[in-house]
Amino acid sequence: MESAVLFLSILVLGRAAVIPNECKITEVLNDKLQYEKRLMYMSDYFPLDYKFLVKHEEVLRCQNITNLRNQGIPVKELRYLWGIVNERILFKMKSALPGRHPSLQYVTDLAAIFKELLKIRQQVSNEIILGILTRLKVPNDVADRKPVRPKALLDNCFKVLHELHREDCSLSNPRSDFLNDTSHQCIDMFD
Ligand SMILES: *[C@@H]1O[C@H](CO)[C@@H](O)[C@H](O)[C@H]1NC(C)=O
């Protein structure tokens, strides 16, 4: 009996880690970032070898998340970092695209969703995350930037979205149904 109560309260505490509104927003993102859309807006509508120049810290891949987790950084701080990095990337894309580019609306919509999401959590205290956030803001030399394909940027965005929210927000990914889903590992399985 007692252990059942304890178990339940742990469950409740665990759930409280994600605010319901946050899950709703991540579901919208999950839908907007499905493979077909990434392919159309981030690949089909761009020249074959088109690349955006981004800072090294603007490349946030599954491997980064695994490394940061191994350093004991709480998931809520990683969610915040992911939000900030992707808001920046989308803003960058938005300002690089000409006004009538067919992907502009898509990028604008995504940027607005990230803005909403970032209203939810604004606190970070981990030194490592604070360090990355500082490096993100400091202007750097263009020569220091990394050329990355637009779709690769949003593929990372999508994979990390799943890695950080899949369990708490029960996100679905139709394309993973026919792949061997190794649920907990952050591996590149969504391409
Ligand atoms: C992710 O890892 C790459 C390669 O190690 C690094 O250049 C980049 O800065 C990392 N991104 C973040 C946000 O820490």
Side-chain angles (χ1 to χ4, degrees), residues 49 60 70 100 107 131-132 187:
D49 51 0
L60 182 64
N70 289 343
R100 287 156 66 121
V107 171
I132 298 173
I187 53 166

Side-chain angles (χ1 to χ4, degrees), residues 25-41:
I25 299 176
T26 56
E27 276 163 32
V28 175
L29 275 176
N30 184 43
D31 179 57
K32 269 207 111 58
L33 289 169
Q34 285 300 313
Y35 176 75
E36 290 71 20
K37 293 176 189 162
R38 273 179 282 136
L39 191 64
M40 177 161 76
Y41 293 112

Side-chain angles (χ1 to χ4, degrees), residues 56-61 64 68 81 85 132 135:
H56 286 271
E57 289 80 15
E58 284 165 342
V59 180
L60 182 64
R61 315 186 67 220
N64 294 87
L68 292 167
L81 176 67
V85 165
I132 298 173
R135 289 199 300 280

Side-chain angles (χ1 to χ4, degrees), residues 29 33 57-61 65 78-93 107 110-111 114-115 117-118 136 152-161 164:
L29 275 176
L33 289 169
E57 289 80 15
E58 284 165 342
V59 180
L60 182 64
R61 315 186 67 220
I65 297 298
L78 297 176
R79 285 178 182 150
Y80 181 76
L81 176 67
W82 166 79
I84 290 286
V85 165
N86 284 287
E87 191 194 38
R88 288 182 62 97
I89 288 172
L90 291 161
F91 186 77
K92 195 166 268 190
M93 285 184 180
V107 171
L110 278 174
F114 270 97
K115 200 172 171 204
L117 190 65
L118 284 164
L136 271 172
L153 290 169
L154 288 201
D155 288 348
N156 291 339
C157 176
F158 181 72
K159 286 174 202 166
V160 175
L161 163 76
L164 295 177

